[in-house]
Amino acid sequence: MERVPPPGREQREEPWIPSERLSLKEAVDAYTISAARACFLEKDVGSLSPGKWADFVVLSADSWDSSFANAEGVGSTTTKVQATYVGGTQVYPKANYNEMDLERV
């Protein structure tokens, strides 16, 4: 993952200690399955698997794409939340969201 300074602040040559950087997958794992394991809840939460509780959002852009964070800059308003699911149930938008390829989620 890359960290960038706020607008108007200059980038230092080496802003973070390279050995302490995380990949996107490592960061997502830390907040999902690793957090579930720390609470001994990995059988119920922490990943999108059949039978587990699922809270997630569907975005209008592919956040795994390496250009996602850099295309519009941090804090971009071009990526929109298309749908929100809590406990596996769609709660936003209220109307049924067009079925999309959730296999990638």
Side-chain angles (χ1 to χ4, degrees), residues 13-90:
E13 208 170 290
E14 192 64 47
W16 301 98
I17 302 169
S19 63
E20 294 183 0
R21 291 181 181 161
L22 297 176
S23 69
L24 178 58
K25 181 176 180 352
E26 289 170 327
V28 170
D29 284 352
Y31 279 92
T32 56
I33 193 65
S34 294
R37 284 186 187 123
C39 297
F40 304 101
L41 294 172
E42 67 271 20
K43 292 180 181 175
D44 300 314
V45 298
S47 64
L48 293 176
S49 304
K52 289 188 176 184
W53 289 94
D55 296 350
F56 63 96
V57 296
V58 177
L59 301 176
S60 62
D62 183 356
S63 60
W64 290 100
D65 183 355
S66 62
S67 63
F68 173 75
N70 298 323
E72 299 293 330
V74 177
S76 170
T77 58
T78 59
T79 300
K80 305 290 185 199
V81 174
Q82 300 293 318
T84 302
Y85 290 79
V86 176
T89 301
Q90 183 179 345

